[in-house]
Amino acid sequence: MPKKIIKKNTYSAALDCLIEEIKANKHKVGAGLDTRHIVIVPDKYTMAVERRLLGDGAGATFDIEVVTLNRLFGLLWDGDEQYLSKQGALLYLKKATEKVKDKLVFFGRSIKYAGFFAKMYEIITQLQANKIEPTDLVAATQKAVGAAKFKFGDIGLIYGAYQELTLGRFIDAGGRLKLLEKIVRKHIYFDNTYVYVANFDVFTKRARGIIDILAERTNVTVYSTEDKALTATCLPPTTLYNAKDSVDELKEIAKRIRYLVSYGMRYKDMALVRTNINAGQIKRIFGEFDIPYYADAKIDLARHPLGVFLLAVLDFISASGLKEATAVIRSQYFFELTDKKIDNREIDSFVTACIANSVDYGDFEKPWTIIETPHLAEYESVRQALISLIAKLPGGTATASEWSNKLAELISNADDTTVALGHRAGVDYKAVTNKVRQSIALAGELYSDENMRATEFGEVLKLLLSGAEVSPLSPSADCVIVGGPEIFRGTPYKAMFVSGFNEGVLPNTLTDSGIITDDEIDGLGLAGLSIEPKVKEVNDRAKTELKQLLMCGHDRLFLSWTSVLADGTEGRKPQMLEVLEQTHQITQINPDEIGGITLQGKDLRDHAAELAYMASARKNCERELIAYVGGAKSPLGVPYYDAIYSALSKKNTFNPYKYIAQNADLDYRLFNADKMFFSYRRTKVSQLESYFSCPYLHFAEYGLRLKERKTGGVLPVDVGNILHEAIDKWLGLDDFDDVPKQTAKIIDQILAERPKSFVEANEGLLCRLKKECIRIAEIITFQIKNTKFVNLGREMEFKYGCGDLEFVGKIDRVDEYDKSVRIIDYKSGKIELKASDLYYGKKLQLFIYMYALMGEGYYPAGVFYFPFKDEFGDKSDDYRMVGVYAREYATAHDIGLEQENFDSTIIKAGTKSAQKGKVELHGNKSRSALDIGTLRLLCDYASKISQIAVKEISSGNITPSPYKGVCEYCKCGDICQVKDKVTQRGGGKITWKGIKNN
């Protein structure tokens, strides 16, 4: 079927249109999760687009998946080839070049220079994206002239040798898209789907081919943008700042961010556009102003502490000098990977002694007996630790495989250290250790039996680590995003700060001086080959990207340029900014103002609070300043303090800041509670249930994050987790024959994954647990065979937007019948669901999940807990599902209810004798039956009180107010000193219909 192409002026407008089309398509197909909506976007945009889909009402994302082409390949590929990372590709490219270096004409000397292989890899990746093979380049040299003839000949040789080395073994970035073309032709993933392609500025030939193939199989809509000129009405209120330098620029932006936060704007609603990010500078300045941020600047592993340590160890083996020894023992990993306890003082003393006694090459291998000092024992301890560490590795020459294996053993116990250093550096420690191990293994595999000295293996490893990058972690979801224009594509913000708006810096422009120039690409066109993009096209896109960002629909813009660039050269205002000044109303400020407010004049008092907040980098500076009103002059040394102090002192109206400062500890209320409890702007419904149980208990669990100490025994949660996992695996078999044998096999597999000590210590209990699991499987088998419902999904990921917060979780099981659904949650222990549980917010989870599914067009048929118990009795009540259900679907839950005088063993329901040939539910036995309208209103109620809970939690309320009975089993009694003084909530008769009418 033909693909539909929709053009919009901006990326933001394109996403708006996409969201509306998803809504329309959902309405067209009706209720159901059997139709999937797949949104394909460029790399880096999946999270931003998911937020837009949730925030703009596209519904819960059960049936929506946001992917990139690379991620799509990862989801669908099941071949034998391994993925080749960029650093691995560089290494193979280097080895391929060594095979053909004697045949090279143009690049014979260039291969010796650092950075050559990175540039060559970019060219090869570009050729792959344009579907150009090595043989195509060789043929093109027949028509090329001048230097281009020899350039393309050499590139073809290197490209061909690289393909030979990797063919059938590895898949690199270009190879993934080549394979994806074949995958999308037949894969069932695209059956019954709608595909939306958005926010691409251009498609490579390979990407275009994939989209065209998808259009042959399913509904495809491509959203593109048109390059429109900046008009007088397309920008929001805009401020322009001419900064002295980059430090002045960042400080001005930090003050404004602080000011906006003081008036209720969230950090996540602000973004800073900045190219050539100086991570250290941003960390220092934003740290002074206590601003959480996420900078899109990756860290290569050669500069990570673990990479530095490994390279230093290899250097020391080769040179055995003081410089190399110092690099090893200064590393945090040296402390963790040696058996002796050594502190920093001993290491400092050791290095000083080495310098004082001219200890250098080779002297580390012998005991120190010649140094006369009372600290000789300390020095000898450090020396022995260093030598014992190095002794774990080969000395002199060894095969690459030996180096690889020994280094892997060396860092096998480094995980705990990596955790600490990773968090300190703000990176994902698991990604660090995994990528370092992959690099070590790849070096050993590639050179395998080749003999190498430590320095030679170190050069290979350094190349791999330099090409491996890890992204920094966000300190919280509520933080300012910092990055280049490309990561904000289609995402409007309440405040957008664009810094470094200088000619040649932003928009960023490239020079036409790469391995292949634009003229040479044009010459290649004579041979029938086309390479995209050229440098000019890249530069034009950078300008368009920046224009798109400015027109994205932000509430306010702050633009700044610097008179002096980072390298000390003079900064120049770009042409685009000059055009904006001529065509738009832009407010210009200078460094002698704060927030556009002059420090002279009668209006100063009206702006006292914001001046105090913006004038200082100190945390809580406003409250500190106010605390000094009427007293001695503040010792803080804040700029403009005299003017601010005067304004605050003369202010006649009631000052809420002063009241808060003096009364902050009088009640149970927290400052910045929203940041404490919802820093990632997401929550689980169980957190809200904890709050309704008791705000102070919620504070202990989710604020202080107190947990019970682990004893090593089997806890109720362990029993529930094992049973839950077993039943989920069993349901996934879709084969209900020989239940005892299949279930026992599953339990054995699950326990095999648990620690051996855990299984041995709890052998008797786990044996009974296996019998219980078999019993549960038999019961669920009976229920499945006697219901009209069929399983729609298990462990279904749940996402639901609630204001600027996201509810997340997993639904244990969802069953479907005739566009209606029932939700089943597995619970261990005593199970009941009373109207008062919902009314007081103690049990919300099932109703919130159903509310989200109702938004997908489903009818609510019932919400149930399925009980996991220690032993199942003989009574039918022991294993019936507990909950409420729509009486209209009673016979669908249990087909036996179509008979007279029948008591269900699946749900709490029974029938009585028929009147006029119609079977009716027995009232006393079917008290859980509600009409479908009531069940809908109960779900609406759950959604409303969840929003109330979010607001109360954000306000900082932690006052003890327990639900009746909570204090009896509360584990926080020792820290809650008021449990005997508070009135417990609950009591009184609450009915389901009463909640409906509430």
Side-chain angles (χ1 to χ4, degrees), residues 618-855:
R618 290 181 63 98
K619 300 178 182 179
N620 302 317
C621 68
E622 184 178 1
R623 289 179 60 191
E624 290 184 36
L625 283 169
I626 292 171
Y628 284 94
V629 173
K633 183 176 178 179
S634 169
L636 299 179
V638 176
Y640 317 110
Y641 175 77
D642 291 337
I644 297 169
Y645 180 86
S646 175
L648 292 171
S649 299
K650 295 176 182 178
K651 198 168 183 177
N652 297 321
T653 57
F654 171 70
N655 192 324
Y657 300 102
K658 182 176 181 180
Y659 175 82
I660 291 173
Q662 295 175 347
N663 298 279
D665 300 322
L666 295 183
D667 61 3
Y668 287 79
R669 192 163 294 277
L670 298 174
F671 288 105
N672 296 322
D674 190 57
K675 185 176 180 181
M676 171 183 284
F677 294 113
F678 303 128
S679 60
Y680 290 92
R681 305 315 303 158
R682 59 175 54 188
T683 183
K684 294 183 178 179
V685 182
S686 56
Q687 180 176 349
L688 306 185
E689 293 175 342
S690 173
Y691 177 77
F692 279 121
S693 292
C694 177
Y696 196 80
L697 173 63
H698 168 264
F699 167 63
E701 291 180 337
Y702 293 93
L704 301 178
R705 292 177 173 81
L706 301 182
K707 294 181 180 179
E708 288 187 271
R709 179 176 297 174
K710 294 183 179 181
T711 62
V714 179
L715 301 174
V717 68
D718 297 316
V719 173
N721 289 340
I722 292 172
L723 291 173
H724 192 151
E725 186 178 350
I727 295 301
D728 184 63
K729 288 179 179 293
W730 174 78
L731 283 172
L733 296 176
D734 291 329
D735 179 5
F736 305 126
D737 294 330
D738 201 354
V739 176
K741 182 178 180 180
Q742 290 195 75
T743 311
K745 183 178 179 181
I746 288 172
I747 283 286
D748 290 339
Q749 291 173 349
I750 293 172
L751 295 181
E753 297 171 358
R754 265 41 178 197
K756 186 177 180 181
S757 57
F758 172 85
V759 176
E760 291 177 349
N762 303 285
E763 186 175 357
L765 178 58
L766 293 176
C767 183
R768 295 196 301 272
L769 192 63
K770 180 185 290 189
K771 294 179 180 179
E772 180 181 341
C773 185
I774 293 172
R775 173 68 170 152
I776 292 171
E778 290 173 338
I779 291 167
I780 295 180
T781 298
F782 171 81
Q783 293 180 351
I784 289 173
K785 291 180 178 180
N786 289 275
T787 182
K788 296 178 184 178
F789 282 87
V790 296
N791 185 241
L792 179 64
R794 306 181 315 279
E795 292 290 311
M796 290 180 63
E797 290 193 359
F798 165 83
K799 287 185 181 180
Y800 169 67
C802 178
D804 67 344
L805 201 66
E806 185 179 72
F807 289 177
V808 298
K810 286 186 178 180
I811 306 177
D812 287 349
R813 183 172 138 205
V814 179
D815 293 345
E816 178 187 20
Y817 165 69
D818 192 25
K819 298 304 180 184
S820 65
V821 289
R822 66 180 185 184
I823 294 174
I824 300 172
D825 192 47
Y826 302 129
K827 290 288 184 183
S828 57
K830 185 179 179 181
I831 300 297
E832 59 181 350
L833 181 60
K834 299 181 294 186
S836 57
D837 293 333
L838 173 60
Y839 182 76
Y840 289 105
K842 191 180 176 186
K843 291 182 180 177
L844 297 171
Q845 197 169 33
L846 297 179
F847 296 95
I848 291 296
Y849 289 167
M850 182 60 79
Y851 183 81
L853 284 168
M854 284 163 49

Side-chain angles (χ1 to χ4, degrees), residues 304-307 332-333 336-337 411-434 436-437 470 473:
H304 183 274
L306 181 55
Q332 279 295 123
Y333 288 93
E336 299 297 327
L337 299 178
I411 66 170
S412 61
N413 298 320
D415 284 351
D416 291 339
T417 308
T418 311
V419 171
L421 294 176
H423 285 311
R424 191 180 308 161
V427 296
D428 183 351
Y429 73 90
K430 288 184 178 178
V432 170
T433 52
N434 287 340
V436 169
R437 288 191 177 104
V470 287
L473 293 174

Side-chain angles (χ1 to χ4, degrees), residues 80 369 913 932:
D80 296 328
T369 57
S913 299
I932 194 169

Side-chain angles (χ1 to χ4, degrees), residues 112-364:
K112 300 176 182 178
Y113 296 111
F116 170 79
F117 295 108
K119 291 181 179 179
M120 183 59 67
Y121 180 66
E122 290 177 4
I123 292 293
I124 290 177
T125 302
Q126 191 176 13
L127 293 172
Q128 290 174 323
N130 286 276
K131 298 187 177 182
I132 297 176
E133 298 294 330
T135 52
D136 297 326
L137 284 179
V138 174
T141 58
Q142 305 301 320
K143 297 183 179 181
V145 295
K149 181 181 184 71
F150 303 109
K151 274 189 180 183
F152 291 123
D154 283 4
I155 294 172
L157 286 171
I158 296 172
Y159 185 9
Y162 170 75
Q163 272 196 346
E164 288 179 10
L165 278 178
T166 58
L167 189 63
R169 299 178 60 204
F170 295 102
I171 309 167
D172 61 9
R176 281 183 293 178
L177 295 187
K178 186 175 181 179
L179 283 171
L180 188 58
E181 278 187 313
K182 299 178 181 179
I183 295 172
V184 298
R185 289 187 184 278
K186 298 180 180 180
H187 205 287
I188 61 172
Y189 179 80
F190 299 101
D191 292 346
N192 203 23
T193 60
Y194 287 91
V195 175
Y196 314 83
V197 183
N199 281 9
F200 285 88
D201 51 4
V202 69
F203 294 105
T204 64
K205 287 183 180 178
R206 191 75 69 186
R208 279 198 298 268
I210 293 170
I211 302 303
D212 289 341
I213 293 168
L214 283 174
E216 295 172 4
R217 294 198 53 191
T218 187
N219 301 277
V220 174
T221 305
V222 178
Y223 297 88
S224 63
T225 57
E226 299 176 298
D227 186 10
K228 296 283 187 178
L230 288 167
T231 62
T233 59
C234 65
L235 294 189
T238 304
T239 301
L240 177 62
Y241 181 63
N242 178 12
K244 299 173 183 177
D245 50 40
S246 61
V247 173
D248 174 40
E249 183 179 37
L250 278 177
K251 285 194 172 182
E252 182 66 25
I253 290 171
K255 291 174 184 178
R256 290 173 176 278
I257 291 172
R258 281 272 298 271
Y259 165 67
L260 292 173
V261 169
S262 73
Y263 275 80
M265 190 177 292
R266 303 190 62 83
Y267 290 111
K268 74 180 185 66
D269 294 328
M270 295 177 273
L272 170 58
V273 177
R274 193 173 180 87
T275 58
N276 302 322
I277 294 174
N278 184 332
Q281 189 180 70
I282 293 177
K283 182 177 181 180
R284 177 174 59 81
I285 294 174
F286 274 27
E288 288 177 6
F289 285 83
D290 194 28
I291 296 173
Y293 72 95
Y294 168 80
D296 185 48
K298 293 187 176 181
I299 306 167
D300 74 73
L301 291 183
R303 292 186 293 131
H304 183 274
L306 181 55
V308 170
F309 169 74
L310 291 174
L311 296 175
V313 167
L314 292 171
D315 282 345
F316 178 73
I317 291 174
S318 302
S320 298
L322 176 59
K323 177 183 176 182
E324 292 77 18
T326 303
V328 174
I329 63 177
R330 289 288 190 198
S331 168
Q332 279 295 123
Y333 288 93
F334 179 69
F335 290 88
E336 299 297 327
L337 299 178
T338 53
D339 299 328
K340 303 177 186 299
K341 294 296 182 182
I342 301 172
D343 58 32
N344 271 315
R345 182 191 59 78
E346 291 175 306
I347 287 178
D348 288 338
S349 183
F350 173 79
V351 174
T352 301
C354 288
I355 296 172
N357 292 274
S358 301
V359 174
D360 204 345
Y361 298 96
D363 291 332
F364 297 97

